[in-house]
Amino acid sequence: MKNIIYILGITAISLSSCKKWLDVNTNPNSPNSDAPSAEQRLPPIITQFADGYESSGTRAAFIAQQLTSTTGSANNYNLSRWVSNSSSANWPWQCWYVNTAVNIQPLIDAATRVEAWHYVGAGKIMKAWGFGTLADFYGMLPYEEFDNAAVLTPKFDDGSLVQTKILALLDEGIADLKKTQGPNAPALSKGDVLNKGNVDNWIRLGYGLKARFLSHTNKKAGFNPQTVLDALANAPQTDAQSSIMQYEDQTPVTSAAREALQYTNVAATARVTKLYMDYILNNYTGAPTGANNMVDPRIDSLVPSAYDATGAKYRTVGVDMTSEVPKSGPSSYSFDSKNGYYTDKNPDSIYIFLRPTPHPSVPGRIQSTGTFYTRRGSKGLLLTNAEMRFLEAEAHFRLNHRGEAHTAYKAGIRSHMSIMKIPPAAIDQFLASTSVIQDPSQLTLSHIMIQKFIAMSYSVENWVDLRRLNFCADAGGNYNEATGVYKGWKRPSHVLPESYPNATDWPRRFAVASYEINFNIQKVLEANPNAAKPTYLNEPIWWDKP
């Protein structure tokens, strides 16, 4: 950040010096801080935010043990060990600060000049969304001084301050969205690539984010689940009111700018874990079961399959993160062009990669079917009705409203399946089966949160939930399947001992980006003297403490 702000400062000085002598009109065809209109500014802000947000989600998916990686893939393999290095830490930071956050105030200024209040509101919601997400991700970051050109080394603010600021910002954004547009204001639809100009969806997004961020504080004294329910009353109530990015399938002409972020991020090295598959298949302690069990109809859309040499289809096996496999594998596999098959004579061939991939030489043979999230033209589920229903279920559960919690739990499953285009008959059949809790008195927080874990695949919110609900550990931090929420969620066999030396250590925050380490280390250490230690990664952030 330091070098970028410095360059901007030099530019500002140069322009101000010239302006005294050259009092001319602004060239609308030349880039400057005033020329782009609000409708020109909003699309890149949304898309760059989505990149950083979903890239954070991919990283969280490795930490949350939805995904793991083949050996030899340094960044993702390290993440599967709960270690974030500079490469994995940098992109969400850069994508937000450099590509997105610095452009939001100019958007708000441009929109204010023409009384385009819908753009002002959208800008404030985007700012709150981005800073709130990264504060939960990193634990601390520059907020108050981040865009002050006079400050070359901005101070780091704790996530607790950021939370206070963004909740107020969300209220402001919602109020702006409810204002009447000025006579010369552009329609929101001209620049809105997320909600296609639907102002009501933006308002509901603001309330949904309030509910999300408020729910993070369940460990804090004074937490009141009713405040979450109050926000949810105005958040998305239907799938159509969700905020979902629709990416484009550019096959055979590929465009990384339009393809799904998860397609980009998983590449050929990611694999699903046994834990993730166990959750989908109800194979965990205390899972719903009975005489009318049914396989979750999402299974083949959430995990990949392939065809063997005989043409028979087989589903991937999940990597057991507690086994010996992650210590040296699974290994990648390569194509044998001479024999026309993948040279998988080792056991790791049972772990199928996530990108949809046709066979290199055998027509009709599929090496991977891919998944709902990892196809090039997939959707980015940024904030959905499904998530809102699970937040509702949790809040009602905490208030001992078991009937309301049960209704919301089933509605959350239905919504996620509907968004995935599962046939309605299959959804109805599954929701009526014994693979779903039917008696509200039997519903537990584990049932709610494990279904939410599935519905929030590839979302940074899964890691938030794991931390605030303490993984599957007891109050002392020890693994305890009897009392823990996320049944079977254990430390991986290859966890890095330098960062997690004790059995009670769990992944609590992401590393500080190298830009700040290299150029702003004094302010980093002022905010947290432990930031340079390997054990910094297991230090709880503000809402993760009682």
Side-chain angles (χ1 to χ4, degrees), residues 331-347:
S331 61
S332 298
Y333 42 84
S334 58
F335 183 67
D336 185 337
S337 58
K338 179 179 179 181
N339 296 308
Y341 56 76
Y342 277 87
T343 55
D344 297 344
K345 304 304 182 184
N346 61 69

Side-chain angles (χ1 to χ4, degrees), residues 4 14 23 30 53 90 119 124 157 230 237 239 260 272 280-281 348-349 400 420 456 470 481 505 514 534:
I4 293 167
S14 301
D23 187 17
S30 297
Y53 180 83
N90 282 352
Y119 284 90
K124 290 179 179 179
D157 299 300
D230 291 344
Q237 307 295 317
D239 298 343
V272 297
I280 299 169
L281 295 171
D348 290 347
S349 63
N400 203 30
M420 292 182 65
M456 301 298 287
N470 217 29
E481 196 153 301
D505 295 333
S514 68

Side-chain angles (χ1 to χ4, degrees), residues 53-97:
Y53 180 83
E54 289 221 77
S55 294
S56 299
T58 316
R59 287 155 173 76
F62 285 99
I63 295 174
Q65 296 192 47
Q66 174 192 347
L67 299 178
T68 188
S69 176
T70 58
T71 53
S73 175
N75 293 336
N76 291 342
Y77 184 76
N78 281 330
L79 287 172
S80 74
R81 306 180 75 190
W82 299 348
V83 176
S84 48
N85 57 27
S86 61
S87 295
S88 56
N90 282 352
W91 181 244
W93 191 272
Q94 177 182 333
C95 207
W96 174 245
Y97 279 106

Side-chain angles (χ1 to χ4, degrees), residues 18-41:
C18 294
K19 193 171 183 180
K20 292 188 297 183
W21 305 103
L22 298 174
D23 187 17
V24 298
N25 295 329
T26 299
N27 180 357
N29 298 315
S30 297
N32 61 71
S33 61
D34 297 322
S37 61
E39 67 269 30
Q40 292 171 322
R41 291 179 182 274

